[in-house]
Amino acid sequence: MTPTVVKSTAELRARCDAARREDRRVGLVPTMGALHAGHLSLLDIAKAESDFQVVTIFVNPTQFGPGEDYDRYPRTLETDLDKLAPYGVDLVFAPSREEMYPKGFGTTVQVAGLTEGLCGSRRPGHFDGVATVVTKLFCIVGPATAVFGRKDYQQLQVIKKLVCDLNLPVDIAEAPIVREPDGVAMSSRNAYLTPPDRDRARALSRGLRAAQDLFDAGERNVGALRQAAVDTVSEMVDALEYVTAANPDTLVPEESHHQVQARLLIAIAARLGATRLIDNTVLGEDPTIVVSTE
Ligand code: AMP
């Protein structure tokens, strides 16, 4: 059944309040739309954790910097609703920009520390935009559970910190990265890629897999593990923004000469043409990435 679409914050709040009055546990899945199997996997988790699911589809302007892809970001509401239909989602919230940021809007939620490195240093203000819109969604929906993907690993950590610091009454559930059969992490931005660039995009997951293979072979030197990823990716992309080896909880980069204790985050951001892609894995925690050789 095609889900009910709500466009006003007042109606969304009223419907979520009504669900709670019926003792239903509200689950939230925030997205920017152009839905793919990665997004739908979040919904599977939401369905297991709640009995009233709200999916939001909003391309949030405040998390895009000047010159980024806000204007060309894919907006495919009708197709998205078709994809959601078999899931029996209770509500889709698809507000206008003005509904979320009316004239005179002037508040920003800023999470310090975790937002400094990785994408934070490359996309100034990005995580302020994310933290602000997610806080607004939490306040409007009042979810008992909200689901976020590990594809955006830094974002997930920022949201967990926000919830902890502000004592927000919501459980954060995290979803593993869903990949294409050749290993490429699913992303709405993959739609931008030309066929040759889509081919080259495999370098990111292959770089992570190279680090995984070395780790599985017993290597524990941070510099060597990171370098395995760099060597695989750097030649294949137009610009390697970063390959960072960091503590998976604090996101503080690990010194090259350190030995990994139990877990190590390897996170990559790279550009192919005009498209910026990110990917990551936590060595010692995430499953082996399947990369087809064809
Ligand atoms: P987005 O629409 O890109 O803002 O993503 C919405 C949510 O879906 C975020 O929590 C993302 O981390 C998650 N997500 C996006 N792609 C994937 C993927 N390939 N696997 C798992 N989660 C994903």
Side-chain angles (χ1 to χ4, degrees):
M1 209 177 67
T2 306
T4 304
V5 180
V6 170
K7 296 205 170 269
S8 95
T9 54
E11 185 181 353
L12 178 62
R13 172 172 288 139
R15 285 179 179 260
C16 292
D17 283 347
R20 272 187 294 274
R21 279 196 298 274
E22 291 170 4
D23 277 338
R24 295 171 78 181
R25 193 177 150 86
V26 177
L28 173 67
V29 178
T31 82
M32 297 206 298
L35 301 181
H36 51 65
H39 296 114
L40 299 175
S41 76
L42 270 54
L43 206 45
D44 286 330
I45 295 175
K47 292 209 80 149
E49 303 273 325
S50 66
D51 37 27
F52 185 88
Q53 290 89 36
V54 180
V55 173
T56 68
I57 296 182
F58 179 59
V59 183
N60 174 37
T62 62
Q63 69 188 72
F64 289 80
E68 290 189 352
D69 55 344
Y70 175 71
D71 289 331
R72 70 172 182 138
Y73 198 86
R75 289 162 172 85
T76 59
L77 184 59
E78 291 310 315
T79 329
D80 289 346
L81 295 177
D82 290 344
K83 288 182 184 163
L84 292 172
Y87 283 81
V89 170
D90 294 278
L91 286 182
V92 170
F93 180 52
S96 65
R97 179 178 182 148
E98 294 69 34
E99 182 70 13
M100 288 299 273
Y101 299 106
K103 201 164 180 299
F105 184 90
T107 300
T108 299
V109 179
Q110 197 166 55
V111 177
L114 284 175
T115 54
E116 278 161 23
L118 300 157
C119 291
S121 53
R122 307 288 171 153
R123 304 184 68 189
H126 168 69
F127 288 112
D128 295 351
V130 170
T132 303
V133 79
V134 169
T135 304
K136 280 173 68 72
L137 292 173
F138 286 171
C139 290
I140 302 162
V141 173
T145 298
V147 191
F148 294 86
R150 287 171 69 105
K151 161 75 169 41
D152 299 276
Y153 191 90
Q154 187 174 18
Q155 169 176 286
L156 172 65
Q157 303 311 316
V158 167
I159 288 160
K160 289 202 284 196
K161 183 84 164 72
L162 164 76
V163 165
C164 174
D165 285 356
L166 298 183
N167 308 97
L168 302 180
V170 53
D171 294 334
I172 301 302
E174 48 190 89
I177 300 177
V178 176
R179 298 178 178 280
E180 302 283 359
D182 65 357
V184 171
M186 289 193 181
S187 164
S188 305
R189 290 191 167 97
N190 292 348
Y192 299 148
L193 297 169
T194 61
D197 285 352
R198 171 62 184 75
D199 215 40
R200 292 195 293 148
R202 295 187 293 176
L204 278 75
S205 48
R206 286 178 177 197
L208 297 173
R209 172 62 189 265
Q212 281 185 333
D213 286 346
L214 206 56
F215 184 83
D216 290 347
E219 179 64 74
R220 291 294 180 272
N221 176 265
V222 169
L225 292 163
R226 178 182 170 279
Q227 196 59 42
V230 172
D231 290 344
T232 310
V233 186
S234 54
E235 294 292 290
M236 297 297 290
V237 297
D238 296 318
L240 187 52
E241 275 196 7
Y242 62 75
V243 175
T244 299
N247 178 300
D249 304 315
T250 63
L251 307 186
V252 173
E254 295 281 1
E255 305 268 0
S256 292
H257 64 271
H258 278 182
Q259 296 290 110
V260 182
Q261 298 307 319
R263 297 151 69 238
L264 180 71
L265 170 70
I266 306 277
I268 302 178
R271 286 181 190 278
L272 292 132
T275 306
R276 182 178 187 277
L277 298 179
I278 56 171
D279 202 349
N280 72 83
T281 195
V282 178
L283 303 178
E285 180 170 291
D286 284 340
T288 304
I289 298 169
V290 176
V291 294
S292 72
T293 45
E294 282 152 40

mmCIF file of all heavy atoms in Angstrom, residues 157-202:
data_model
loop_
_atom_site.group_PDB
_atom_site.id
_atom_site.type_symbol
_atom_site.label_atom_id
_atom_site.label_comp_id
_atom_site.label_asym_id
_atom_site.label_seq_id
_atom_site.Cartn_x
_atom_site.Cartn_y
_atom_site.Cartn_z
ATOM 1 N N GLN A 157 28.218 8.367 14.629
ATOM 2 C CA GLN A 157 28.853 8.672 15.921
ATOM 3 C C GLN A 157 28.408 10.044 16.428
ATOM 4 O O GLN A 157 28.203 10.244 17.632
ATOM 5 C CB GLN A 157 30.387 8.626 15.814
ATOM 6 C CG GLN A 157 30.958 7.310 15.309
ATOM 7 C CD GLN A 157 30.400 6.093 16.029
ATOM 8 O OE1 GLN A 157 30.279 6.067 17.246
ATOM 9 N NE2 GLN A 157 30.027 5.078 15.262
ATOM 10 N N VAL A 158 28.268 11.000 15.518
ATOM 11 C CA VAL A 158 27.841 12.357 15.901
ATOM 12 C C VAL A 158 26.430 12.297 16.497
ATOM 13 O O VAL A 158 26.145 12.921 17.525
ATOM 14 C CB VAL A 158 27.890 13.296 14.667
ATOM 15 C CG1 VAL A 158 27.165 14.612 14.933
ATOM 16 C CG2 VAL A 158 29.346 13.554 14.259
ATOM 17 N N ILE A 159 25.566 11.509 15.878
ATOM 18 C CA ILE A 159 24.186 11.426 16.372
ATOM 19 C C ILE A 159 24.134 10.713 17.730
ATOM 20 O O ILE A 159 23.415 11.124 18.635
ATOM 21 C CB ILE A 159 23.282 10.767 15.307
ATOM 22 C CG1 ILE A 159 23.099 11.774 14.175
ATOM 23 C CG2 ILE A 159 21.942 10.354 15.892
ATOM 24 C CD1 ILE A 159 22.657 11.202 12.880
ATOM 25 N N LYS A 160 24.957 9.677 17.883
ATOM 26 C CA LYS A 160 24.983 8.993 19.186
ATOM 27 C C LYS A 160 25.448 9.954 20.289
ATOM 28 O O LYS A 160 24.929 9.952 21.404
ATOM 29 C CB LYS A 160 25.890 7.754 19.111
ATOM 30 C CG LYS A 160 25.272 6.632 18.283
ATOM 31 C CD LYS A 160 25.829 5.262 18.579
ATOM 32 C CE LYS A 160 27.160 5.025 17.995
ATOM 33 N NZ LYS A 160 27.549 3.586 17.961
ATOM 34 N N LYS A 161 26.428 10.808 19.951
ATOM 35 C CA LYS A 161 26.953 11.774 20.930
ATOM 36 C C LYS A 161 25.897 12.827 21.254
ATOM 37 O O LYS A 161 25.709 13.201 22.423
ATOM 38 C CB LYS A 161 28.212 12.413 20.331
ATOM 39 C CG LYS A 161 28.929 13.388 21.230
ATOM 40 C CD LYS A 161 29.865 12.648 22.180
ATOM 41 C CE LYS A 161 30.879 13.565 22.831
ATOM 42 N NZ LYS A 161 30.315 14.442 23.827
ATOM 43 N N LEU A 162 25.221 13.290 20.226
ATOM 44 C CA LEU A 162 24.156 14.277 20.398
ATOM 45 C C LEU A 162 23.076 13.750 21.343
ATOM 46 O O LEU A 162 22.638 14.439 22.273
ATOM 47 C CB LEU A 162 23.574 14.529 18.998
ATOM 48 C CG LEU A 162 22.245 15.216 18.809
ATOM 49 C CD1 LEU A 162 22.426 16.700 19.047
ATOM 50 C CD2 LEU A 162 21.720 14.991 17.405
ATOM 51 N N VAL A 163 22.685 12.507 21.124
ATOM 52 C CA VAL A 163 21.637 11.885 21.943
ATOM 53 C C VAL A 163 22.100 11.744 23.390
ATOM 54 O O VAL A 163 21.359 12.021 24.328
ATOM 55 C CB VAL A 163 21.247 10.515 21.335
ATOM 56 C CG1 VAL A 163 20.461 9.667 22.322
ATOM 57 C CG2 VAL A 163 20.455 10.724 20.050
ATOM 58 N N CYS A 164 23.373 11.372 23.549
ATOM 59 C CA CYS A 164 23.937 11.201 24.894
ATOM 60 C C CYS A 164 24.064 12.559 25.582
ATOM 61 O O CYS A 164 23.588 12.740 26.706
ATOM 62 C CB CYS A 164 25.290 10.493 24.749
ATOM 63 S SG CYS A 164 26.183 10.367 26.277
ATOM 64 N N ASP A 165 24.669 13.541 24.888
ATOM 65 C CA ASP A 165 24.927 14.843 25.507
ATOM 66 C C ASP A 165 23.636 15.566 25.892
ATOM 67 O O ASP A 165 23.584 16.257 26.907
ATOM 68 C CB ASP A 165 25.737 15.738 24.560
ATOM 69 C CG ASP A 165 27.204 15.333 24.494
ATOM 70 O OD1 ASP A 165 27.604 14.416 25.241
ATOM 71 O OD2 ASP A 165 27.950 15.937 23.688
ATOM 72 N N LEU A 166 22.613 15.442 25.045
ATOM 73 C CA LEU A 166 21.369 16.179 25.296
ATOM 74 C C LEU A 166 20.309 15.326 25.998
ATOM 75 O O LEU A 166 19.159 15.746 26.118
ATOM 76 C CB LEU A 166 20.803 16.736 23.975
ATOM 77 C CG LEU A 166 21.693 17.742 23.234
ATOM 78 C CD1 LEU A 166 20.987 18.274 21.992
ATOM 79 C CD2 LEU A 166 22.084 18.903 24.137
ATOM 80 N N ASN A 167 20.713 14.109 26.424
ATOM 81 C CA ASN A 167 19.770 13.208 27.128
ATOM 82 C C ASN A 167 18.482 13.002 26.332
ATOM 83 O O ASN A 167 17.384 12.996 26.892
ATOM 84 C CB ASN A 167 19.415 13.767 28.521
ATOM 85 C CG ASN A 167 20.647 14.100 29.326
ATOM 86 O OD1 ASN A 167 21.074 15.254 29.368
ATOM 87 N ND2 ASN A 167 21.237 13.107 29.941
ATOM 88 N N LEU A 168 18.597 12.856 25.033
ATOM 89 C CA LEU A 168 17.393 12.686 24.218
ATOM 90 C C LEU A 168 16.849 11.274 24.424
ATOM 91 O O LEU A 168 17.620 10.307 24.419
ATOM 92 C CB LEU A 168 17.699 12.930 22.732
ATOM 93 C CG LEU A 168 18.277 14.309 22.406
ATOM 94 C CD1 LEU A 168 18.538 14.441 20.901
ATOM 95 C CD2 LEU A 168 17.320 15.414 22.854
ATOM 96 N N PRO A 169 15.529 11.155 24.610
ATOM 97 C CA PRO A 169 14.954 9.843 24.945
ATOM 98 C C PRO A 169 14.717 8.983 23.705
ATOM 99 O O PRO A 169 13.590 8.630 23.386
ATOM 100 C CB PRO A 169 13.638 10.220 25.633
ATOM 101 C CG PRO A 169 13.248 11.513 24.989
ATOM 102 C CD PRO A 169 14.511 12.224 24.609
ATOM 103 N N VAL A 170 15.780 8.652 22.997
ATOM 104 C CA VAL A 170 15.645 7.848 21.778
ATOM 105 C C VAL A 170 16.802 6.846 21.722
ATOM 106 O O VAL A 170 17.937 7.185 22.047
ATOM 107 C CB VAL A 170 15.618 8.767 20.523
ATOM 108 C CG1 VAL A 170 16.791 9.722 20.465
ATOM 109 C CG2 VAL A 170 15.548 7.954 19.232
ATOM 110 N N ASP A 171 16.476 5.607 21.331
ATOM 111 C CA ASP A 171 17.523 4.597 21.127
ATOM 112 C C ASP A 171 18.004 4.707 19.690
ATOM 113 O O ASP A 171 17.182 4.742 18.762
ATOM 114 C CB ASP A 171 16.962 3.177 21.307
ATOM 115 C CG ASP A 171 16.534 2.911 22.732
ATOM 116 O OD1 ASP A 171 17.083 3.571 23.641
ATOM 117 O OD2 ASP A 171 15.644 2.061 22.929
ATOM 118 N N ILE A 172 19.319 4.697 19.514
ATOM 119 C CA ILE A 172 19.859 4.745 18.143
ATOM 120 C C ILE A 172 20.237 3.322 17.736
ATOM 121 O O ILE A 172 21.061 2.673 18.390
ATOM 122 C CB ILE A 172 21.098 5.674 18.072
ATOM 123 C CG1 ILE A 172 20.724 7.100 18.516
ATOM 124 C CG2 ILE A 172 21.674 5.673 16.657
ATOM 125 C CD1 ILE A 172 19.619 7.764 17.719
ATOM 126 N N ALA A 173 19.618 2.867 16.651
ATOM 127 C CA ALA A 173 19.967 1.552 16.096
ATOM 128 C C ALA A 173 20.838 1.782 14.872
ATOM 129 O O ALA A 173 20.629 2.743 14.128
ATOM 130 C CB ALA A 173 18.699 0.805 15.699
ATOM 131 N N GLU A 174 21.853 0.928 14.693
ATOM 132 C CA GLU A 174 22.746 1.126 13.547
ATOM 133 C C GLU A 174 22.676 -0.036 12.571
ATOM 134 O O GLU A 174 22.540 -1.187 12.971
ATOM 135 C CB GLU A 174 24.174 1.403 13.999
ATOM 136 C CG GLU A 174 24.745 0.485 15.032
ATOM 137 C CD GLU A 174 26.077 1.029 15.545
ATOM 138 O OE1 GLU A 174 26.068 1.814 16.524
ATOM 139 O OE2 GLU A 174 27.115 0.663 14.970
ATOM 140 N N ALA A 175 22.759 0.304 11.290
ATOM 141 C CA ALA A 175 22.612 -0.700 10.232
ATOM 142 C C ALA A 175 23.942 -0.895 9.519
ATOM 143 O O ALA A 175 24.632 0.085 9.210
ATOM 144 C CB ALA A 175 21.576 -0.218 9.225
ATOM 145 N N PRO A 176 24.308 -2.167 9.250
ATOM 146 C CA PRO A 176 25.542 -2.419 8.499
ATOM 147 C C PRO A 176 25.470 -1.831 7.083
ATOM 148 O O PRO A 176 24.370 -1.584 6.576
ATOM 149 C CB PRO A 176 25.617 -3.949 8.414
ATOM 150 C CG PRO A 176 24.447 -4.503 9.111
ATOM 151 C CD PRO A 176 23.567 -3.385 9.570
ATOM 152 N N ILE A 177 26.631 -1.655 6.469
ATOM 153 C CA ILE A 177 26.666 -1.101 5.103
ATOM 154 C C ILE A 177 26.139 -2.139 4.117
ATOM 155 O O ILE A 177 26.599 -3.279 4.111
ATOM 156 C CB ILE A 177 28.112 -0.708 4.710
ATOM 157 C CG1 ILE A 177 28.652 0.357 5.668
ATOM 158 C CG2 ILE A 177 28.164 -0.217 3.260
ATOM 159 C CD1 ILE A 177 30.101 0.750 5.408
ATOM 160 N N VAL A 178 25.188 -1.720 3.275
ATOM 161 C CA VAL A 178 24.703 -2.587 2.197
ATOM 162 C C VAL A 178 25.493 -2.238 0.936
ATOM 163 O O VAL A 178 25.624 -1.061 0.584
ATOM 164 C CB VAL A 178 23.194 -2.402 1.962
ATOM 165 C CG1 VAL A 178 22.717 -3.236 0.787
ATOM 166 C CG2 VAL A 178 22.418 -2.774 3.222
ATOM 167 N N ARG A 179 26.026 -3.284 0.298
ATOM 168 C CA ARG A 179 26.902 -3.085 -0.862
ATOM 169 C C ARG A 179 26.307 -3.709 -2.117
ATOM 170 O O ARG A 179 25.524 -4.646 -2.043
ATOM 171 C CB ARG A 179 28.278 -3.719 -0.586
ATOM 172 C CG ARG A 179 28.976 -3.092 0.594
ATOM 173 C CD ARG A 179 30.327 -3.742 0.906
ATOM 174 N NE ARG A 179 30.935 -3.028 2.025
ATOM 175 C CZ ARG A 179 31.572 -1.873 1.917
ATOM 176 N NH1 ARG A 179 31.752 -1.348 0.720
ATOM 177 N NH2 ARG A 179 32.057 -1.262 2.977
ATOM 178 N N GLU A 180 26.721 -3.190 -3.263
ATOM 179 C CA GLU A 180 26.403 -3.821 -4.544
ATOM 180 C C GLU A 180 27.201 -5.125 -4.612
ATOM 181 O O GLU A 180 28.179 -5.305 -3.874
ATOM 182 C CB GLU A 180 26.816 -2.899 -5.702
ATOM 183 C CG GLU A 180 26.168 -1.523 -5.673
ATOM 184 C CD GLU A 180 24.720 -1.529 -6.146
ATOM 185 O OE1 GLU A 180 24.214 -2.604 -6.528
ATOM 186 O OE2 GLU A 180 24.109 -0.454 -6.109
ATOM 187 N N PRO A 181 26.827 -6.045 -5.538
ATOM 188 C CA PRO A 181 27.552 -7.319 -5.608
ATOM 189 C C PRO A 181 29.062 -7.152 -5.841
ATOM 190 O O PRO A 181 29.849 -7.983 -5.413
ATOM 191 C CB PRO A 181 26.906 -8.030 -6.803
ATOM 192 C CG PRO A 181 25.542 -7.427 -6.904
ATOM 193 C CD PRO A 181 25.666 -6.008 -6.433
ATOM 194 N N ASP A 182 29.476 -6.069 -6.470
ATOM 195 C CA ASP A 182 30.927 -5.877 -6.707
ATOM 196 C C ASP A 182 31.616 -5.178 -5.536
ATOM 197 O O ASP A 182 32.806 -4.847 -5.625
ATOM 198 C CB ASP A 182 31.168 -5.116 -8.013
ATOM 199 C CG ASP A 182 30.633 -3.690 -7.974
ATOM 200 O OD1 ASP A 182 30.017 -3.299 -6.959
ATOM 201 O OD2 ASP A 182 30.843 -2.955 -8.964
ATOM 202 N N GLY A 183 30.887 -4.909 -4.474
ATOM 203 C CA GLY A 183 31.523 -4.346 -3.283
ATOM 204 C C GLY A 183 31.235 -2.869 -3.070
ATOM 205 O O GLY A 183 31.417 -2.355 -1.965
ATOM 206 N N VAL A 184 30.826 -2.164 -4.108
ATOM 207 C CA VAL A 184 30.603 -0.718 -3.971
ATOM 208 C C VAL A 184 29.453 -0.462 -2.979
ATOM 209 O O VAL A 184 28.389 -1.080 -3.091
ATOM 210 C CB VAL A 184 30.276 -0.085 -5.349
ATOM 211 C CG1 VAL A 184 29.836 1.373 -5.195
ATOM 212 C CG2 VAL A 184 31.487 -0.192 -6.263
ATOM 213 N N ALA A 185 29.700 0.414 -2.028
ATOM 214 C CA ALA A 185 28.660 0.751 -1.043
ATOM 215 C C ALA A 185 27.515 1.463 -1.746
ATOM 216 O O ALA A 185 27.747 2.381 -2.546
ATOM 217 C CB ALA A 185 29.245 1.645 0.044
ATOM 218 N N MET A 186 26.288 1.038 -1.475
ATOM 219 C CA MET A 186 25.143 1.707 -2.097
ATOM 220 C C MET A 186 25.066 3.140 -1.608
ATOM 221 O O MET A 186 25.283 3.421 -0.426
ATOM 222 C CB MET A 186 23.860 0.963 -1.759
ATOM 223 C CG MET A 186 23.778 -0.349 -2.470
ATOM 224 S SD MET A 186 22.131 -1.036 -2.352
ATOM 225 C CE MET A 186 22.398 -2.551 -3.247
ATOM 226 N N SER A 187 24.768 4.040 -2.543
ATOM 227 C CA SER A 187 24.662 5.452 -2.219
ATOM 228 C C SER A 187 23.798 6.120 -3.271
ATOM 229 O O SER A 187 23.874 5.770 -4.453
ATOM 230 C CB SER A 187 26.062 6.095 -2.227
ATOM 231 O OG SER A 187 25.948 7.509 -2.287
ATOM 232 N N SER A 188 22.993 7.079 -2.842
ATOM 233 C CA SER A 188 22.189 7.830 -3.811
ATOM 234 C C SER A 188 23.106 8.537 -4.804
ATOM 235 O O SER A 188 22.722 8.784 -5.942
ATOM 236 C CB SER A 188 21.319 8.858 -3.095
ATOM 237 O OG SER A 188 20.531 8.221 -2.106
ATOM 238 N N ARG A 189 24.304 8.870 -4.367
ATOM 239 C CA ARG A 189 25.232 9.598 -5.248
ATOM 240 C C ARG A 189 25.839 8.705 -6.331
ATOM 241 O O ARG A 189 26.408 9.224 -7.287
ATOM 242 C CB ARG A 189 26.341 10.260 -4.421
ATOM 243 C CG ARG A 189 25.822 11.412 -3.579
ATOM 244 C CD ARG A 189 26.934 12.250 -2.957
ATOM 245 N NE ARG A 189 26.425 13.498 -2.427
ATOM 246 C CZ ARG A 189 26.106 13.723 -1.142
ATOM 247 N NH1 ARG A 189 26.241 12.756 -0.249
ATOM 248 N NH2 ARG A 189 25.640 14.899 -0.758
ATOM 249 N N ASN A 190 25.715 7.377 -6.202
ATOM 250 C CA ASN A 190 26.231 6.507 -7.267
ATOM 251 C C ASN A 190 25.515 6.801 -8.588
ATOM 252 O O ASN A 190 26.062 6.528 -9.659
ATOM 253 C CB ASN A 190 26.060 5.025 -6.911
ATOM 254 C CG ASN A 190 26.956 4.607 -5.751
ATOM 255 O OD1 ASN A 190 27.850 5.356 -5.353
ATOM 256 N ND2 ASN A 190 26.716 3.431 -5.206
ATOM 257 N N ALA A 191 24.300 7.360 -8.496
ATOM 258 C CA ALA A 191 23.533 7.685 -9.712
ATOM 259 C C ALA A 191 24.242 8.737 -10.562
ATOM 260 O O ALA A 191 23.995 8.850 -11.758
ATOM 261 C CB ALA A 191 22.143 8.181 -9.327
ATOM 262 N N TYR A 192 25.127 9.519 -9.951
ATOM 263 C CA TYR A 192 25.856 10.540 -10.718
ATOM 264 C C TYR A 192 26.939 9.939 -11.606
ATOM 265 O O TYR A 192 27.443 10.597 -12.507
ATOM 266 C CB TYR A 192 26.618 11.502 -9.783
ATOM 267 C CG TYR A 192 25.809 12.313 -8.814
ATOM 268 C CD1 TYR A 192 26.366 12.647 -7.580
ATOM 269 C CD2 TYR A 192 24.539 12.782 -9.113
ATOM 270 C CE1 TYR A 192 25.676 13.424 -6.666
ATOM 271 C CE2 TYR A 192 23.841 13.558 -8.198
ATOM 272 C CZ TYR A 192 24.415 13.882 -6.980
ATOM 273 O OH TYR A 192 23.739 14.651 -6.081
ATOM 274 N N LEU A 193 27.384 8.721 -11.282
ATOM 275 C CA LEU A 193 28.611 8.199 -11.894
ATOM 276 C C LEU A 193 28.392 7.774 -13.345
ATOM 277 O O LEU A 193 27.424 7.096 -13.665
ATOM 278 C CB LEU A 193 29.120 6.990 -11.088
ATOM 279 C CG LEU A 193 29.533 7.263 -9.642
ATOM 280 C CD1 LEU A 193 29.748 5.947 -8.892
ATOM 281 C CD2 LEU A 193 30.803 8.116 -9.596
ATOM 282 N N THR A 194 29.313 8.154 -14.211
ATOM 283 C CA THR A 194 29.332 7.635 -15.582
ATOM 284 C C THR A 194 29.756 6.167 -15.497
ATOM 285 O O THR A 194 30.378 5.762 -14.495
ATOM 286 C CB THR A 194 30.371 8.379 -16.426
ATOM 287 O OG1 THR A 194 31.659 8.159 -15.819
ATOM 288 C CG2 THR A 194 30.093 9.881 -16.494
ATOM 289 N N PRO A 195 29.460 5.336 -16.513
ATOM 290 C CA PRO A 195 29.880 3.929 -16.415
ATOM 291 C C PRO A 195 31.376 3.748 -16.113
ATOM 292 O O PRO A 195 31.723 2.937 -15.234
ATOM 293 C CB PRO A 195 29.466 3.341 -17.767
ATOM 294 C CG PRO A 195 28.285 4.193 -18.176
ATOM 295 C CD PRO A 195 28.592 5.582 -17.686
ATOM 296 N N PRO A 196 32.279 4.493 -16.757
ATOM 297 C CA PRO A 196 33.698 4.293 -16.389
ATOM 298 C C PRO A 196 33.997 4.680 -14.930
ATOM 299 O O PRO A 196 34.783 4.019 -14.245
ATOM 300 C CB PRO A 196 34.472 5.206 -17.350
ATOM 301 C CG PRO A 196 33.510 5.581 -18.428
ATOM 302 C CD PRO A 196 32.130 5.415 -17.885
ATOM 303 N N ASP A 197 33.341 5.744 -14.466
ATOM 304 C CA ASP A 197 33.564 6.156 -13.074
ATOM 305 C C ASP A 197 32.953 5.150 -12.097
ATOM 306 O O ASP A 197 33.518 4.884 -11.026
ATOM 307 C CB ASP A 197 32.994 7.552 -12.813
ATOM 308 C CG ASP A 197 33.868 8.645 -13.408
ATOM 309 O OD1 ASP A 197 34.981 8.321 -13.881
ATOM 310 O OD2 ASP A 197 33.436 9.816 -13.421
ATOM 311 N N ARG A 198 31.817 4.571 -12.484
ATOM 312 C CA ARG A 198 31.197 3.535 -11.633
ATOM 313 C C ARG A 198 32.156 2.360 -11.478
ATOM 314 O O ARG A 198 32.273 1.750 -10.408
ATOM 315 C CB ARG A 198 29.856 3.112 -12.238
ATOM 316 C CG ARG A 198 29.196 1.899 -11.582
ATOM 317 C CD ARG A 198 28.863 2.153 -10.116
ATOM 318 N NE ARG A 198 28.321 0.972 -9.454
ATOM 319 C CZ ARG A 198 29.049 -0.075 -9.076
ATOM 320 N NH1 ARG A 198 30.360 -0.099 -9.271
ATOM 321 N NH2 ARG A 198 28.469 -1.097 -8.479
ATOM 322 N N ASP A 199 32.845 2.062 -12.560
ATOM 323 C CA ASP A 199 33.836 0.991 -12.551
ATOM 324 C C ASP A 199 34.986 1.330 -11.589
ATOM 325 O O ASP A 199 35.393 0.515 -10.757
ATOM 326 C CB ASP A 199 34.371 0.842 -13.977
ATOM 327 C CG ASP A 199 34.678 -0.588 -14.293
ATOM 328 O OD1 ASP A 199 33.880 -1.451 -13.885
ATOM 329 O OD2 ASP A 199 35.729 -0.833 -14.911
ATOM 330 N N ARG A 200 35.468 2.555 -11.713
ATOM 331 C CA ARG A 200 36.588 2.980 -10.858
ATOM 332 C C ARG A 200 36.175 3.084 -9.386
ATOM 333 O O ARG A 200 37.022 3.004 -8.493
ATOM 334 C CB ARG A 200 37.117 4.330 -11.335
ATOM 335 C CG ARG A 200 37.806 4.279 -12.692
ATOM 336 C CD ARG A 200 38.607 5.541 -12.924
ATOM 337 N NE ARG A 200 37.770 6.716 -13.070
ATOM 338 C CZ ARG A 200 38.116 7.940 -12.685
ATOM 339 N NH1 ARG A 200 39.287 8.156 -12.124
ATOM 340 N NH2 ARG A 200 37.297 8.961 -12.854
ATOM 341 N N ALA A 201 34.866 3.285 -9.156
ATOM 342 C CA ALA A 201 34.380 3.437 -7.771
ATOM 343 C C ALA A 201 34.656 2.188 -6.935
ATOM 344 O O ALA A 201 34.680 2.256 -5.702
ATOM 345 C CB ALA A 201 32.881 3.745 -7.777
ATOM 346 N N ARG A 202 34.887 1.068 -7.618
ATOM 347 C CA ARG A 202 35.176 -0.164 -6.878
ATOM 348 C C ARG A 202 36.467 -0.055 -6.067
ATOM 349 O O ARG A 202 36.706 -0.853 -5.161
ATOM 350 C CB ARG A 202 35.279 -1.342 -7.848
ATOM 351 C CG ARG A 202 33.945 -1.627 -8.526
ATOM 352 C CD ARG A 202 34.000 -2.868 -9.352
ATOM 353 N NE ARG A 202 34.881 -2.708 -10.509
ATOM 354 C CZ ARG A 202 35.171 -3.687 -11.358
ATOM 355 N NH1 ARG A 202 34.664 -4.885 -11.188
ATOM 356 N NH2 ARG A 202 35.969 -3.471 -12.378
#
